Amino acid sequence: MNDAFDFLVRKDITFLNFGSFGSCPKEIFSFYQKKQLELESQPVSFIVEDGINQLNNARKTLASYVHCQPDDLVYVTNPSYAINTIAKSLRLKKGDEVLSTQLEYGALIRAWNYYCEKKGASFIQQRIPLPFSTSDEVVAAFFKGCSDKTKAIYISHITSATALILPVEQICEEAKKRGLITIVDGAHAPAQINLNLNNLNVDIYTGACHKWMMAPKGASFLFVSKAHQNWIDPLLISWGYQSDNPSNSLFIDYHQTAGTRDFSAFLTVPFCIDFMRRNNWEDVSDKNKKNTIDWALRLMNRFNIEPISPISPSFLGQMFAIPIYTPDCVGLKQRLWHQFNIEIPVTQLDKRNFIRFSIQAFNDWEDYIALENALQALEKSGFLKF
Ligand SMILES: Cc1ncc(COP(=O)(O)O)c(C=O)c1O
């Protein structure tokens, strides 16, 4: 671990889990605290006026960063909030289906199951074969799950446990040809990959800013294309409904107002975008991506493992999932933390397990060595198999 960009994360550990919740550089966190102080020093004018103006500007800046219209995007606290909003509102009849994959994020599988069950619909988790070799294979496998009952598709742009960049452009294009609503969970996408919502044929998209954009926790967004804004109810009805002071967008009025809350994290997002611009973040990210591929290739060779996808920039960003077998994910994770000082997630999917490493600017070669040594020791003592 090194001090590059002054991230707040501890440097006396091996932190290989930036993917779960990110971590702020000190400069970004200080800006966030300044916003919180601003709020507390005059809460009334901040919450009712100044802050709202800043929020509208912060929304415009983020919209320009992800390439969409400012009135098609609203800040929400997290991707779960965004997907709950959508799944609850989606007009599904008894027997309808939402097509998805087995690779989705657990909390949101639960959300979809909950709302589909309530409506008598089904959430279909179509199996994507692992390993796969091409994006065409993924697309073909996915649409095998499509039927005349399918109304919408829901997929991750970058999967959680398996850290795969899915071919969402191809999938959305095909889904639109079939007349389906396209919903993408891009929690991991902003700033891990170049996100251009204009180029994606996507109706609904959520992304987290508190992961790879390095914003403080609780900054995410929900994008909805104009054609779909009219059927989406706010998760929380507040002053934006029948607003006394309407803007020119019902979508923004409905979803931007959510009772009293600290929206300082949202206001920090433009600062994060500026931080990335000032620090040539595309170069930083490219270096991290190169290291991800390098580490992945070394580990696959070192332990003779078959990866679940080609080790290539088409499928990998700054995270990689090492396929392993363990009888005890929780125990293994604790062992990695307590015995080896390594923060890294261990997950289960389809009777297989994955250890997912993330690479951020503060990670270096020493971290790779620490991980390789720990895996070797744990294999030797029987806690995991490859
Ligand atoms: C694919 C995916 N979706 C959503 C989330 C996060 O959702 P939330 O912050 O709402 O818990 C994650 C978190 O890692 C994720 O990997």
Side-chain angles (χ1 to χ4, degrees):
M1 300 270 291
N2 61 56
D3 283 330
F5 304 104
D6 221 356
F7 278 86
L8 286 169
V9 69
R10 278 169 59 182
K11 302 299 176 319
D12 60 333
I13 59 175
T14 303
F15 191 80
L16 293 173
N17 190 8
F18 196 82
S20 280
F21 307 113
S23 170
C24 295
K26 204 177 198 169
E27 200 184 328
I28 290 178
F29 201 72
S30 300
F31 181 89
Y32 167 57
Q33 289 182 311
K34 239 176 27 203
K35 285 288 145 202
Q36 290 185 309
L37 272 176
E38 217 178 297
L39 190 159
E40 290 303 331
S41 59
Q42 215 318 13
V44 180
S45 68
F46 194 88
I47 288 173
V48 177
E49 206 179 324
D50 304 349
I52 299 299
N53 292 335
Q54 292 185 37
L55 182 56
N56 284 327
N57 288 332
R59 180 162 51 74
K60 285 175 193 153
T61 308
L62 177 61
S64 146
Y65 179 73
V66 297
H67 303 279
C68 72
Q69 297 295 316
D71 288 350
D72 294 349
L73 169 145
V74 70
Y75 279 104
V76 294
T77 44
N78 52 53
S80 295
Y81 190 102
I83 295 303
N84 272 265
T85 305
I86 300 307
K88 190 172 180 189
S89 294
L90 188 63
R91 291 187 190 135
L92 294 172
K93 294 190 303 296
K94 202 166 187 296
D96 284 349
E97 291 179 356
V98 175
L99 176 60
S100 188
T101 76
Q102 89 278 26
L103 304 173
E104 305 309 320
Y105 184 60
L108 296 174
I109 293 171
R110 286 166 172 77
W112 279 109
N113 279 333
Y114 178 84
Y115 289 113
C116 283
E117 271 169 32
K118 271 194 162 268
K119 298 172 197 195
S122 303
F123 183 59
I124 306 294
Q125 289 192 264
Q126 178 64 20
R127 287 187 54 76
I128 305 299
L130 300 178
F132 61 78
S133 314
T134 65
S135 47
D136 286 349
E137 265 176 55
V138 176
V139 179
F142 181 70
F143 282 103
K144 275 193 191 142
C146 192
S147 76
D148 55 0
K149 298 178 200 147
T150 308
K151 293 292 174 290
I153 63 153
Y154 167 74
I155 46 162
S156 289
H157 200 158
I158 304 180
T159 60
S160 178
T162 45
L164 296 165
I165 302 177
L166 294 182
V168 289
E169 293 87 348
Q170 274 173 271
I171 289 177
C172 287
E173 207 176 293
E174 178 60 30
K176 290 319 290 175
K177 279 188 204 150
R178 295 174 187 229
L180 306 174
I181 298 174
T182 53
I183 307 165
V184 174
D185 173 359
H188 285 281
Q192 183 173 178
I193 56 178
N194 276 331
L195 181 59
N196 188 326
L197 292 174
N198 260 336
N199 292 349
L200 272 184
N201 214 337
V202 68
D203 298 316
I204 293 158
Y205 193 101
T206 181
C209 307
H210 52 230
K211 290 183 188 279
W212 297 94
M213 288 180 77
M214 301 169 285
K217 312 301 159 263
S220 300
F221 67 86
L222 167 65
F223 159 87
V224 180
S225 67
K226 291 255 177 342
H228 291 274
Q229 291 175 1
N230 63 342
W231 58 260
I232 298 169
D233 296 324
L235 205 52
L236 199 140
I237 306 297
S238 182
W239 291 98
Y241 178 65
Q242 296 177 342
S243 173
D244 297 332
N245 187 17
S247 71
N248 54 9
S249 161
L250 212 54
F251 175 69
I252 297 302
D253 292 345
Y254 276 18
H255 298 277
Q256 184 160 277
T257 320
T260 306
R261 59 181 171 161
D262 175 2
F263 47 85
S264 306
F266 302 162
L267 303 186
T268 308
V269 170
F271 189 83
C272 299
I273 293 169
D274 189 53
F275 176 92
M276 290 191 281
R277 188 191 51 74
R278 282 187 280 116
N279 290 294
N280 302 318
W281 212 251
E282 282 200 17
D283 295 348
V284 176
S285 178
D286 282 349
K287 190 170 158 222
N288 290 330
K289 283 175 187 150
K290 214 174 135 282
N291 285 340
T292 302
I293 293 209
D294 186 31
W295 289 29
L297 287 170
R298 278 170 193 271
L299 287 170
M300 296 301 99
N301 284 335
R302 168 71 186 76
F303 295 105
N304 199 17
I305 311 171
E306 185 185 15
I308 55 173
S309 78
I311 298 184
S312 103
S314 309
F315 300 106
L316 299 174
Q318 292 177 220
M319 304 193 292
F320 180 75
I322 309 161
I324 57 147
Y325 292 98
T326 176
D328 179 10
C329 279
V330 178
L332 179 59
K333 192 202 171 326
Q334 281 177 351
R335 208 161 266 281
L336 280 156
W337 174 234
H338 292 296
Q339 194 176 330
F340 297 95
N341 250 358
I342 301 178
E343 173 56 57
I344 193 165
V346 183
T347 51
Q348 172 156 15
L349 192 109
D350 276 358
K351 299 189 188 132
R352 296 181 82 176
N353 308 103
F354 297 94
I355 297 183
R356 185 192 73 191
F357 68 76
S358 302
I359 299 193
Q360 187 46 283
F362 50 74
N363 291 118
D364 51 30
W365 185 240
E366 260 178 40
D367 301 326
Y368 173 82
I369 298 294
L371 178 62
E372 188 186 299
N373 287 344
L375 293 178
Q376 188 180 341
L378 288 165
E379 183 190 26
K380 216 168 162 191
S381 47
F383 286 103
L384 63 82
K385 280 198 295 202
F386 295 107

